[in-house]
Structures are given as C-alpha cells and as structure tokens.
Amino acid sequence: MRRAPAGLTVSPKSGPLAIALLGDSRFFRKMEAFLHGLSMHGIHSCKIEEADYSYESGAEAAYRLLTSAHAPDAIFCSGDINTMGALGRCSEVKGEILARHYQFAGFDAPCGMELPPYGITALRQDTGQLARDAVQILKRMIDTDDRSPVVVTRP
C-alpha cells in the first residue's frame, strides 16, 4: 500500500498515483492548500473537477471523473455532503465491490460519514476555534471600525 496525503491509502498499481479534487473554485484557497500538500508529498498532478457542496454536485462530478479515460485512484472532496454524493455515484458506476478500491476523503466530517455505506476519511475542523476566531475578528471590527479582510491560518 502507498500512503497518500490526508490519510488516503491507495492499493499498489503500476504508474503514478492519480488523485482528483472535487472543489468549488470560489474557494480557491482551500484548493490551493490541498494542491500544495500534494506537491509536498511528491504528487505534482491532480485532476480538478468543479463541484459545489451538494450531494448532487458531488455525484455528477464523480461520474465525470470515473467515466473519463483516466479515472483517479483517489478523490478528495472539498466538502462533506459532496463526498457522500461522490461515493454514492462511484458505487453506481463501478459497482459495490469495485467501488471499495477507490479512496475518498473530505472536509468537515458531519454526522453520518462514519456510517455504512460511507465510512469516509474526513478532516475534522475545530469548530470551537473557528467560532472563537470569528468572534475575535468581529470584536476587532466593532472596536476599531476596521473592515479590512482578515486571514486566519491554523496548522
């Protein structure tokens, strides 16, 4: 087994690891951070398929990827619900048994992702820290009347 970024495990095969990203281009920073993480692990090619955060969008994007001439080994989804849609479509397109050979990962880990038929690897965000950051930014804006954009990056 080869180890891919974000805890994805991919079965051995000949040739390089093929990873795809389902993402919403309006959230460029999230996509950029993922691509940077791939490059840090020696993966310099990633097919990107546009998908918003809905189940249907994830299913449609996964269908386009899985029926393409060069289907990926693993799909990283920029959201939780579109991850479920992608996995559901993979089972439809490839069949239940073959679908188990594909790896899926997503952000946020809502209720249900750990349950069959999903069992998806997910990056769980510290929502308490997100809330504290948001309150701190809003308080600064109120206290100083400064409305300039703020970027908070957490390891």
Side-chain angles (χ1 to χ4, degrees):
M1 296 282 203
R2 288 187 286 173
R3 200 68 147 153
L8 296 176
T9 304
V10 180
S11 299
K13 68 164 201 150
S14 60
L17 179 66
I19 293 183
L21 171 63
L22 262 73
D24 188 334
S25 59
R26 294 175 297 170
F27 297 94
F28 178 75
R29 287 189 194 275
K30 188 184 266 190
M31 294 171 77
E32 187 178 55
F34 178 74
L35 295 173
H36 176 72
L38 286 180
S39 69
M40 290 179 59
H41 286 83
I43 300 170
H44 303 288
S45 177
C46 178
K47 186 169 186 176
I48 298 174
E49 193 66 41
E50 186 74 22
D52 65 24
Y53 293 100
S54 69
Y55 185 96
E56 295 77 16
S57 182
E60 291 166 9
Y63 180 80
R64 291 189 299 271
L65 286 167
L66 296 168
T67 57
S68 69
H70 302 287
D73 300 305
I75 299 175
F76 190 89
C77 302
S78 61
D80 42 25
I81 304 302
N82 66 11
T83 306
M84 290 186 230
L87 183 57
R89 184 56 55 94
C90 182
S91 294
E92 292 171 16
V93 172
K94 300 293 184 181
E96 284 296 322
I97 302 299
L98 189 55
R100 293 182 192 151
H101 294 284
Y102 287 88
Q103 299 293 312
F104 291 82
F107 278 112
D108 300 333
C111 290
M113 282 180 75
E114 71 281 357
L115 300 173
Y118 299 110
I120 298 168
T121 299
L123 301 177
R124 190 177 305 265
Q125 297 186 55
D126 182 348
T127 54
Q129 185 61 55
L130 290 173
R132 287 187 292 278
D133 289 343
V135 168
Q136 185 178 27
I137 291 167
L138 289 172
K139 185 175 180 337
R140 182 191 56 81
M141 288 176 155
I142 291 167
D143 291 347
T144 65
D145 202 32
D146 179 5
R147 304 284 187 264
S148 58
V150 176
V151 175
V152 176
T153 304
R154 298 261 177 226

